[in-house]
Amino acid sequence: MEQQQEFELLNQIQLPADLRKLSVEQLPKLCDELRQDIVQELSVNPGHLASSLGVVELTVALHYVFNTPDDRIVWDVGHQAYGHKILTGRREQFKTNRKLHGLRPFPSPEESEYDSFICGHASNSISAALGMAVATSHISPLTSHLLLKVVSVIGDGSMSGGLAFEGLNNVSSSPNDMLIILNDNNMSIDLSVGGMKQYLLGLNTNETYNTLRFKASQWLRAKGMLKEDRRKGLIRLTNAIKSAISHQQNIFEGMNIRYFGPFNGHDVKELVRILRQLKDMQGPKLLHLHTQKGHGYAPAENYKPVWHAPGKFDPETGELLKGDTANKPPKFQDVFGETLLELARQNPRIVGVTPAMPTGCSMNIMMREMPDRTFDVGIAEGHAVTFSAGMAKDGLQPFCNIYSAFAQRAYDNIIHDVAILRLPVVLCLDRAGLVGEDGPTHHGAFDLAYLRPIPNLTICSPMDEHELRRLMYTAQLPGKGPFVIRYPRGCGVKVDWRCPLEEIQVGTGRKLKDGDDVAVLSIGPYGNDVARAVEGTRAAHYDMRFLKPLDEQLLHEVGRRFRKVITVENGVRNGGLGTAVLEWFSEHGYTPQVVRMGLPDAFVEHGSVSELQKIVGIDAESIKLEISND
């Protein structure tokens, strides 16, 4: 009964059709209730908080004005969409968000018809929405603009991604009536950076002008005087006049995309009025909204990077409920950040590069002391790699840190701009392997397999914090060329993680335990699970360290001595360490039975890492069972 009183309006809404029964005057109260519900739910079931709080009013207004799910809302950066989930029939299930077999961490059409497209990362919404708009016009060319509307919601730093500009460039050349909403919160996870940020901060268009222009276009169209060719010509003419008067060029209208804004993205009644005006307007349009990440919840407003995904917290006080970390191993990312600063103090050529994740990858540690030697390039992974390549070409030693799953977006840059010239770029792939609750869009499942065929790359993965430090030291030594170091999300195994920085010979593994009959070959931190699995058995254990080049001396020993070889990796089985070992044995005439343990040829769902390890069969118990399975 208490909840009924607390959420008087929200409790009436199961689907957006219920939302549309409310009056516009009731919407601010609904927004307050929705914001409270998100805060309460995430205080006990952690997720992405601040981004969803920043778009509460926009979410309500969109579902109030547009006829979803028939009309399409394409979200960019799906961590904005918690309010959307709650309003689209998933409120009762929301307590299962990000949990094993529960609601997915990001929107997906496989979960709900209200989720128009998948959006685990950034910058794809304009291209996807344009594709939907064009498909609609082809299916029903005469009536499509009356039946189905397509809205792209981009922001939270995503406009810095190159794909967003590719989409914008194509929007004006393809017939469509889509609406692009730019959620400009001056943030991604850390503060947004670059020229686009400064441009958006300074951009201003007169609302009275836009209103008069809109009414004039409606009148001309009703009189049959505004055909498509004339409409585009008139847009170009009025854009030129406006630029001359205001002494300001508008990049969007320069692409023949009508621009409206900026407006306050937290005035839900005003948003409803604007969206109603724009809903039936023909041609592509962009609505620019200023929002505040974490809006309406003071702790999230005041320190946004922490509140992007804060973990459990007290909703009343905002106190973060952290466990006791004393005498516990550090996170791999923190070891990376501390070691990078240590190396940079010794080597003046070292610079750090990250695409919008200085806090997430701990490059902020170096950034605080050496801001002139660290570069946050925004959500632009391909650019991060090629930018690093340019610096390497002229004598610097870049450490480019990208989350493994996001490095997929820079594949061609790694090949074309780094590997061919054998440039000394150290590519540090954080969040490699299973990442847990963020699910299939974020698992770093493919890097070993997709990087292994590329010539000139050295590819390695440290088993623990000492190995990470030594591999980072090795990578920046002269003559090492392109060097890939992958490591997982979360903590390592060593409380005493600092160690001397010493070179590791490239392409060498190590025997951690001798044995007979069965040998287990692991790469990366899953070697610690293997070490537990081989205890009390007669199996040998080798830490390969390097996927490329392989330790051939070690493999000759294994091929000669063992009847059965088990490979274990935190990546897809197809194409990774197990495949490399099979190929090497075949080429050198060895015929042991090889069992490859790794991620399956399928997208792994979300859940805790330990839960997922058991599901895919790479936990210590599964490894132990395979050792004993003859």
Side-chain angles (χ1 to χ4, degrees):
M1 186 66 181
E2 182 179 346
Q3 186 180 8
Q4 289 284 55
Q5 294 174 349
E6 185 179 355
F7 298 126
E8 175 187 354
L9 297 179
L10 187 58
N11 287 336
Q12 300 176 28
I13 296 171
Q14 296 297 319
L15 295 169
D18 302 317
L19 166 63
R20 296 175 200 127
K21 296 175 184 177
L22 301 179
S23 69
V24 173
E25 299 301 320
Q26 291 176 294
L27 297 185
K29 177 175 172 58
L30 174 65
C31 291
D32 290 341
E33 293 181 4
L34 180 57
R35 183 170 278 110
Q36 291 176 43
D37 194 39
I38 293 172
V39 169
Q40 289 184 12
E41 289 288 351
L42 267 65
S43 69
V44 294
N45 181 27
H48 295 95
L49 178 68
S51 297
S52 285
L53 294 183
V55 295
V56 163
E57 288 80 11
L58 174 59
T59 303
V60 168
L62 283 169
H63 284 293
Y64 192 76
V65 173
F66 288 90
N67 185 33
T68 54
D70 294 331
D71 290 339
R72 309 282 196 257
I73 299 175
V74 183
W75 291 94
D76 210 303
V77 194
H79 56 234
Q80 300 183 93
Y82 287 175
H84 161 80
K85 288 193 174 197
I86 290 170
L87 294 176
T88 53
R90 288 168 277 183
R91 186 180 173 207
E92 289 301 316
Q93 296 172 280
F94 193 66
K95 59 180 176 292
T96 71
N97 190 48
R98 295 164 54 86
K99 293 183 178 179
L100 185 67
H101 307 318
L103 287 183
R104 298 169 187 240
F106 304 103
S108 169
E110 294 180 338
E111 179 176 286
S112 171
E113 62 179 337
Y114 288 90
D115 297 351
S116 298
F117 206 72
I118 194 165
C119 52
H121 192 25
S123 310
N124 68 337
S125 66
I126 295 176
S127 297
L130 177 60
M132 293 177 186
V134 170
T136 300
S137 68
H138 278 267
I139 292 171
S140 183
L142 297 177
T143 59
S144 62
H145 71 281
L146 298 176
L147 294 179
L148 189 149
K149 312 298 179 184
V150 181
V151 182
S152 160
V153 183
I154 188 169
D156 211 20
S158 302
M159 193 60 90
S160 63
L163 182 59
F165 286 93
E166 293 176 27
L168 281 172
N169 187 57
N170 196 223
V171 160
S172 62
S173 63
S174 302
N176 68 87
D177 297 330
M178 67 180 284
L179 170 63
I180 301 166
I181 297 179
L182 175 55
N183 169 30
D184 176 11
N185 62 11
N186 194 31
M187 291 285 291
S188 49
I189 291 175
D190 291 276
L191 286 170
S192 62
V193 296
M196 178 53 68
K197 167 199 168 184
Q198 297 302 325
Y199 177 79
L200 294 175
L201 286 175
L203 194 60
N204 186 36
T205 298
N206 185 275
E207 182 180 354
T208 302
Y209 164 83
N210 273 320
T211 301
L212 291 173
R213 176 167 149 168
F214 176 50
K215 290 181 177 179
S217 67
Q218 284 183 315
W219 185 84
L220 289 170
R221 189 175 287 110
K223 298 295 184 182
M225 300 169 60
L226 195 60
K227 304 298 184 185
E228 183 64 18
D229 290 343
R230 288 184 178 180
R231 185 185 71 81
K232 288 187 176 181
L234 186 60
I235 288 175
R236 288 191 292 271
L237 175 61
T238 55
N239 288 346
I241 293 172
K242 185 167 64 174
S243 296
I245 293 173
S246 66
H247 304 287
Q248 181 181 42
Q249 182 64 38
N250 187 316
I251 186 174
F252 305 111
E253 294 196 319
M255 295 178 173
N256 283 336
I257 300 171
R258 290 289 310 279
Y259 170 87
F260 299 89
F263 297 104
N264 177 7
H266 298 302
D267 186 339
V268 67
K269 292 192 287 187
E270 179 69 358
L271 287 177
V272 167
R273 183 192 68 80
I274 295 168
L275 290 173
R276 281 174 170 168
Q277 281 191 336
L278 299 181
K279 180 179 179 181
D280 295 321
M281 184 184 294
Q282 292 188 5
K285 307 157 287 289
L286 185 140
L287 173 62
H288 181 188
L289 302 178
H290 278 311
T291 63
Q292 180 185 34
K293 194 168 182 176
H295 183 77
Y297 186 59
E301 292 177 356
N302 294 332
Y303 192 39
K304 300 175 185 69
V306 166
W307 287 91
H308 174 72
K312 292 184 179 182
F313 61 94
D314 184 328
E316 297 298 325
T317 65
E319 179 185 358
L320 301 179
L321 305 179
K322 299 292 187 182
D324 183 12
T325 58
N327 298 317
K328 290 187 177 180
K331 294 180 179 179
F332 273 96
Q333 69 182 60
D334 292 334
V335 175
F336 161 81
E338 294 286 356
T339 304
L340 180 63
L341 176 59
E342 189 175 340
L343 290 170
R345 288 169 176 160
Q346 301 173 10
N347 184 348
R349 297 185 304 109
I350 287 178
V351 292
V353 179
T354 179
M357 299 302 295
T359 303
C361 75
S362 295
M363 195 174 285
N364 61 325
I365 295 172
M366 178 179 170
M367 190 173 284
R368 285 193 294 266
E369 183 171 321
M370 302 177 178
D372 58 328
R373 291 170 61 184
T374 49
F375 303 90
D376 177 359
V377 301
I379 300 177
E381 293 84 1
H383 166 65
V385 171
T386 301
F387 173 55
S388 298
M391 289 192 289
K393 176 63 172 62
D394 272 8
L396 294 180
Q397 174 63 75
F399 277 72
C400 180
N401 190 303
I402 306 178
Y403 288 5
S404 170
F406 302 165
Q408 294 160 188
R409 301 156 69 93
Y411 189 58
D412 179 63
N413 306 78
I414 295 170
I415 295 173
H416 186 275
D417 301 331
V418 174
I420 290 177
L421 291 179
R422 204 175 179 271
L423 294 173
V425 173
V426 183
L427 188 62
C428 297
L429 301 184
D430 197 342
R431 270 66 166 177
L434 295 172
V435 298
E437 291 83 358
D438 282 339
T441 59
H442 283 58
H443 292 317
F446 306 105
D447 55 86
L448 292 175
Y450 71 65
L451 291 173
R452 188 169 71 89
I454 302 175
N456 294 338
L457 291 190
T458 294
I459 306 170
C460 62
S461 185
M463 184 170 160
D464 56 39
E465 298 91 326
H466 290 178
E467 290 283 292
L468 173 59
R469 284 172 55 77
R470 289 164 179 156
L471 287 169
M472 289 177 65
Y473 174 78
T474 301
Q476 53 89 52
L477 294 174
K480 299 303 181 185
F483 211 101
V484 179
I485 307 174
R486 76 185 301 263
Y487 51 90
R489 179 185 187 184
C491 296
V493 294
K494 293 185 179 297
V495 176
D496 183 17
W497 58 271
R498 293 191 183 274
C499 65
L501 294 173
E502 301 168 341
E503 181 177 2
I504 292 175
Q505 185 178 343
V506 171
T508 61
R510 52 184 182 160
K511 179 161 58 177
L512 300 179
K513 178 182 179 295
D514 205 353
D516 53 50
D517 200 36
V518 178
V520 185
L521 278 54
S522 64
I523 187 168
Y526 271 32
N528 297 292
D529 296 280
V530 173
R532 290 193 295 273
V534 299
E535 287 179 1
T537 74
R538 299 179 66 182
H541 178 203
Y542 295 83
D543 171 26
M544 295 300 294
R545 271 203 197 112
F546 290 88
L547 176 67
K548 187 173 186 176
L550 291 167
D551 187 334
E552 298 200 30
Q553 182 176 342
L554 183 154
L555 289 177
H556 276 298
E557 175 183 326
V558 171
R560 286 194 304 266
R561 291 186 53 201
F562 296 97
R563 175 189 61 83
K564 180 178 180 179
V565 175
I566 302 170
T567 63
V568 181
E569 57 196 303
N570 190 8
V572 289
R573 285 193 299 265
N574 296 336
L577 173 67
T579 301
V581 169
L582 270 174
E583 292 170 353
W584 192 92
F585 281 157
S586 175
E587 291 167 0
H588 292 82
Y590 295 108
T591 58
Q593 176 193 3
V594 176
V595 176
R596 296 174 299 153
M597 302 185 72
L599 304 185
D601 186 21
F603 290 104
V604 179
E605 62 182 310
H606 60 281
S608 71
V609 171
S610 60
E611 289 172 332
L612 299 179
Q613 281 182 274
K614 291 179 182 178
I615 289 173
V616 301
I618 53 173
D619 60 311
E621 287 303 313
S622 298
I623 298 167
K624 194 164 191 171
L625 181 63
E626 187 58 55
I627 291 172
S628 62
N629 184 11
D630 290 326

